[in-house]
Amino acid sequence: MMCCNNTDVECVEYKHKNVLLIGTGGRSRHEVLKCICDTQINLFIYHTTVNWAKPLLPKAQNWIVGPLLATEALPRISRFQEETNVSFDGVLCYDAFCLNLAAHVAEYLDLPFTSTDVLQFTHKKDGFRKKCKAHSICTPKFAIIDSPTSLGTLQELLSAHALEFPLIAKPTQGAGKYYCRKVSCLLELQESINDFFRALPDVWGLWGMECVNDGRMLIEEFIMGSEVDVDAVVQDGELMFASVSDNKLPYRDVMETGCRCPSSLPEEHHRSLRQLTRDLASMCGGRLSSVLHFEVMVTADGQCVPIEVNMRIGGAETHQMVRAVYGVDLAVASLRLSLGLRPACPAPATHRMHVSTVNLHAPQCQGQHQLAEARIPPAVYGSPCYMGVHLYWKEGEVI
């Protein structure tokens, strides 16, 4: 019996357990899903279509197909259970676009998961900032825009909230840096806002947006400092594991270009970040059980300013990086949390290697284009330091 970073004893714990995964995520999540499947758990997937994940879960009876809206998903899942006599023991989600739906499903099935109440302030960036402020945690100054507006009105709004350029504009609910921009003047800010509201009809059902009132923009001060990511495992409010990694300088001020793990920050900063993560868990009511991805700006004077928190495994290289550096499989940890089992986390966490990652972005261009070729030079994958690559698009696909 083979398991991904698991013992045979742990596999026995999963025997006869049925777990419902909400959303597969994109193709870059292949290794995450593979590690979950390798535990030999009885996995079922709810997604909009049977997709790239089919080779990992080839049986049609393990798929439930439907929209990513709670009003549509809940009756489909209920009908599936009635028709198949399958009872779910856990709900799992590692995709930011599906978290809100997963919380609704878990509450509907009376299963453990991050609650919709917690997601109300962690998944919504303005709610997160308000909650941090209420708990005396440092947070950026911000304002909210709920519709396209004039330059004059924008200027009045910025003055009322003591906001000065440069600023960051992004949706209050979002992921993957979609519609997130650094703006340096009123015209750039207005353009960013208008672009988002024009695109709103295309994103219903994503990020928890289910009605027109969910579409809003957050305008906040640009914090100067070093951005770090905290990837943590919390069970019943207890911080069981935390990895801190440094973000490299961003592309176009917001797009991530890679990271280094473990972080090169001084140990006192690591202690402050771990304490900040504990404060976050306490802020969630003390019963939080989740793998989470926490983004923080560390200023020149050592102040830790939380930017956002995601109640799921970090994207891109996070899963593979943390597993290589610390031997902790965040995918398996997330699975065990969904079943109420204690995840295997070393205490204290000790790194066994240093890892550096690079994110390559396609140049910005107008219209749609087809990816003609995607290849890795032999000098790269032949290196003893090479760990792996994640392609977000396949050759021939339209970008």
Side-chain angles (χ1 to χ4, degrees), residues 73-327:
L74 298 183
R76 281 175 168 81
I77 293 170
S78 178
R79 187 163 57 250
F80 174 85
Q81 288 187 293
E82 292 172 1
E83 294 173 352
T84 62
N85 202 30
V86 169
S87 178
F88 293 117
D89 302 290
V91 171
L92 183 62
C93 183
Y94 51 70
D95 183 49
F97 301 124
C98 298
L99 273 178
N100 196 64
L101 173 58
H104 282 288
V105 171
E107 290 179 358
Y108 177 74
L109 298 176
D110 195 24
L111 293 171
F113 194 79
T114 305
S115 70
T116 53
D117 288 340
V118 169
L119 287 179
Q120 281 296 309
F121 66 83
T122 59
H123 210 48
K124 296 182 179 180
K125 296 174 177 64
D126 54 330
F128 180 56
R129 278 146 186 72
K130 291 175 182 176
K131 194 77 169 181
C132 285
K133 187 175 181 180
H135 284 74
S136 302
I137 296 174
C138 184
T139 188
K141 293 183 292 186
F142 71 95
I144 297 296
I145 297 286
D146 54 17
S147 63
T149 189
S150 67
L151 292 175
T153 301
L154 279 178
Q155 182 59 70
E156 291 175 2
L157 182 72
L158 299 186
S159 298
H161 290 83
L163 290 168
E164 298 180 356
F165 292 103
L167 298 167
I168 294 292
K170 54 189 174 185
T172 57
Q173 292 176 247
K177 298 295 190 291
Y178 283 90
Y179 300 101
C180 177
R181 297 181 191 171
K182 180 182 177 184
V183 294
S184 301
C185 64
L186 279 174
L187 282 174
E188 289 183 4
L189 177 58
Q190 186 183 50
E191 180 184 4
S192 176
I193 293 168
N194 289 343
D195 284 350
F196 170 71
F197 284 106
R198 273 195 298 268
L200 262 184
D202 298 327
V203 297
W204 295 136
L206 296 178
W207 315 320
M209 292 186 185
E210 297 194 15
C211 65
V212 68
N213 292 332
D214 289 333
R216 302 185 301 161
M217 286 287 282
L218 178 85
I219 317 299
E220 68 179 6
E221 64 177 319
F222 178 71
I223 303 294
M224 294 292 294
S226 302
E227 184 173 352
V228 300
D229 292 340
V230 180
D231 293 285
V233 178
V234 176
Q235 187 170 40
D236 293 332
E238 175 189 354
L239 179 62
M240 302 187 65
F241 167 79
S243 163
V244 180
S245 54
D246 298 319
N247 282 13
K248 296 178 180 178
L249 291 176
Y251 172 66
R252 296 184 181 272
D253 296 307
V254 296
M255 298 299 293
E256 296 179 3
T257 59
C259 58
R260 292 176 294 270
C261 184
S263 168
S264 59
L265 289 173
E267 177 55 32
E268 57 265 29
H269 289 357
H270 283 249
R271 286 195 295 269
S272 296
L273 289 163
R274 287 193 292 269
Q275 184 56 52
L276 185 59
T277 309
R278 292 188 186 95
D279 292 342
L280 169 68
S282 176
M283 194 171 75
C284 293
R287 300 296 297 176
L288 178 69
S289 291
S290 179
V291 172
L292 58 89
H293 181 74
F294 194 23
E295 299 177 6
V296 186
M297 293 298 295
V298 181
T299 64
D301 61 359
Q303 189 174 39
C304 297
V305 184
I307 301 300
E308 61 183 69
V309 62
N310 301 286
M311 295 297 175
R312 43 83 180 169
I313 302 168
E317 69 274 30
T318 301
H319 171 254
Q320 188 174 8
M321 177 184 71
V322 172
R323 190 172 57 171
V325 174
Y326 293 102

Side-chain angles (χ1 to χ4, degrees), residues 30 37 50-59 63:
H30 179 276
C37 291
V50 178
N51 58 11
W52 62 266
K54 184 178 179 181
L56 293 173
L57 210 68
K59 295 181 180 179
W63 289 80

Side-chain angles (χ1 to χ4, degrees), residues 321-367:
M321 177 184 71
V322 172
R323 190 172 57 171
V325 174
Y326 293 102
V328 174
D329 192 321
L330 297 176
V332 176
S334 186
L335 172 64
R336 293 183 66 80
L337 288 173
S338 75
L339 294 169
L341 301 173
R342 192 167 182 83
C345 298
T350 304
H351 70 272
R352 54 191 187 184
M353 66 172 69
H354 291 258
V355 170
S356 178
T357 71
V358 177
N359 299 345
L360 303 177
H361 300 276
Q364 290 191 345
C365 49
Q366 296 295 320

